[in-house]
Amino acid sequence: MQATIEVTGLRKRFGPTLALDGMSFTVQPGQVTGFVGPNGAGKSTTMRVVLGLDAPDEGTALVGGTPYQSLRRPFTHLGALLDAGALQPGRSARNHLLWLAQSQGLPARRVDEVLGQVGLTSVARRRAAGFSLGMRQRLGIAGALLGQPRMLMFDEPFNGMDPEGIVWMRGFLRSLASEGRAVLVSSHLMSELQDTADHLVVVGRGKVVADTSMAELLAAASGDRVVLRTTARPAAMTVLAQAGAAVTVTDDDALMISGLAAERVVGLLSAAAVPFSEVSAHRASLEQAYLELTSESVEFRGERAGAGQAAATKEAAR
Ligand code: ADP
């Protein structure tokens, strides 16, 4: 069985809300696939449909080529963490996992193995009621791993994690993928998936707005732009504009140049004796690329939409 999670043309309406509007993508084995989009974009609903917890109005969801409900011992194929809060607070972490293992017909030794994997061995006998959200996320992931599944699906696993936990989570997700598993991880923050996801499925308003490798997204978002730092900004702007470049001022007082290669910028500035401290190819931040992709699908926008304008105004005021 191929370890892929495949959703095709999912549509799902909750009363007046169209939660899924033709959601389609495939999660490949051996990769971390980031499932990213603003809150309300339909990520959790998609995961619930994959697990057979919500029935779609249209479309199909297949786990290794088979609907989840038709799998024999499904937790040995797909492990999922949807809601880290869904715990019996009175139970210890270990008893919670023992209960899960037993209900799935799995040996008790798996419990100690997964506790070790997620770093909860030392608190295994403590009641889950006293756990931070970050510890609950680890416990939920331990539960998903019990059946040694080849496919994994985690909904917002970075939520509530402290910086150390985030670093751990990134490494852990990568190690699961390097073992050949298909790993789908949702987040509403692109930054959480930096250095983690190989592939991205970006969603907004119930459908996919980009399905791309991380490398391709970064390259496309960077465009052919060059960043210039100089103390002689007016002179530099004049020289570059005369050569046909479009020049804008960035938020951190650098110049962003479109229409000229970096080598040409260096040549022009040197010929005109304009000093500069940096000329470099622009590397778009992932967050910026994400915001550009999803700007149409965010219902409540913050100040970001006016950021370019603010920079222009700042320049005019000088
Ligand atoms: P995400 O996980 O990307 O934040 P969700 O899948 O949770 O998005 O939600 C998608 C949309 O569907 C939202 O508008 C949400 O309010 C709505 N929705 C999800 N589940 C239900 C439900 N059980 N009843 C009503 N509306 C729902």
Side-chain angles (χ1 to χ4, degrees):
M1 186 202 279
Q2 253 286 57
T4 56
I5 304 168
E6 192 178 357
V7 303
T8 311
L10 293 183
R11 285 175 69 84
K12 175 76 183 173
R13 186 174 278 287
F14 293 104
T17 307
L18 189 57
L20 300 180
D21 183 16
M23 183 74 79
S24 302
F25 61 89
T26 301
V27 184
Q28 300 289 351
Q31 291 191 338
V32 175
T33 298
F35 191 24
V36 60
N39 285 324
K43 303 181 294 294
S44 300
T45 304
T46 302
M47 290 186 170
R48 290 178 57 81
V49 168
V50 170
L51 288 170
L53 298 170
D54 272 334
D57 301 331
E58 281 174 43
T60 55
L62 300 176
V63 174
T66 308
Y68 185 82
Q69 302 93 309
S70 308
L71 290 168
R72 261 193 72 237
R73 295 165 57 80
F75 33 81
T76 63
H77 299 286
L78 173 65
L81 164 64
L82 289 200
D83 178 5
L87 286 170
Q88 281 262 355
R91 279 197 186 125
S92 71
R94 192 161 184 281
N95 281 342
H96 167 75
L97 293 173
L98 277 172
W99 167 80
L100 262 183
Q102 199 169 25
S103 69
Q104 298 176 356
L106 296 166
R109 71 172 162 74
R110 282 295 298 146
V111 168
D112 295 313
E113 287 169 9
V114 295
L115 280 167
Q117 264 184 288
V118 302
L120 287 181
T121 304
S122 63
V123 295
R125 289 172 200 279
R126 272 175 44 189
R127 284 178 357 138
F131 278 15
S132 66
L133 181 54
M135 288 163 81
R136 287 174 193 228
Q137 299 279 25
R138 289 182 192 236
L139 182 54
I141 287 172
L145 293 172
L146 276 173
Q148 295 177 287
R150 290 166 64 208
M151 291 161 271
L152 289 159
M153 213 165 58
F154 303 135
D155 197 6
E156 299 275 0
F158 291 97
N159 267 2
M161 289 234 148
D162 57 18
E164 191 193 333
I166 289 174
V167 171
W168 170 82
M169 180 70 79
R170 288 187 171 146
F172 191 63
L173 294 170
R174 296 231 43 81
S175 74
L176 292 170
S178 71
E179 292 163 1
R181 298 178 218 261
V183 184
L184 181 67
V185 183
S186 78
S187 176
H188 62 290
L189 297 174
M190 181 65 106
S191 52
E192 289 178 338
L193 298 168
Q194 193 132 23
D195 307 321
T196 309
D198 307 283
H199 197 88
L200 290 169
V201 173
V202 184
V203 292
R205 294 189 191 267
K207 59 181 162 217
V208 174
V209 297
D211 187 336
T212 169
S213 73
M214 185 69 100
E216 278 168 19
L217 177 66
L218 276 172
S222 300
D224 281 333
R225 286 178 286 177
V226 174
V227 178
L228 166 68
R229 289 186 197 282
T230 170
T231 49
R233 204 159 51 195
M237 288 176 92
T238 306
V239 168
L240 296 169
Q242 277 170 357
V247 184
T248 55
V249 182
T250 66
D251 288 346
D252 60 346
D253 283 341
L255 294 180
M256 183 72 77
I257 302 153
S258 317
L260 290 178
E263 293 79 7
R264 180 113 169 86
V265 172
V266 171
L268 287 166
L269 295 177
S270 303
V274 177
F276 56 89
S277 57
E278 180 191 331
V279 175
S280 56
H282 173 58
R283 290 264 159 267
S285 83
L286 209 51
E287 200 66 40
Q288 206 177 333
Y290 167 61
L291 289 170
E292 279 165 23
L293 275 171
T294 57
S295 61
E296 295 295 304
S297 44
V298 181
E299 280 161 5
F300 305 102
R301 232 173 285 179
E303 288 178 4
R304 193 201 63 85
Q309 219 168 348
T313 314
K314 199 163 102 186
E315 179 60 14
R318 276 164 205 264

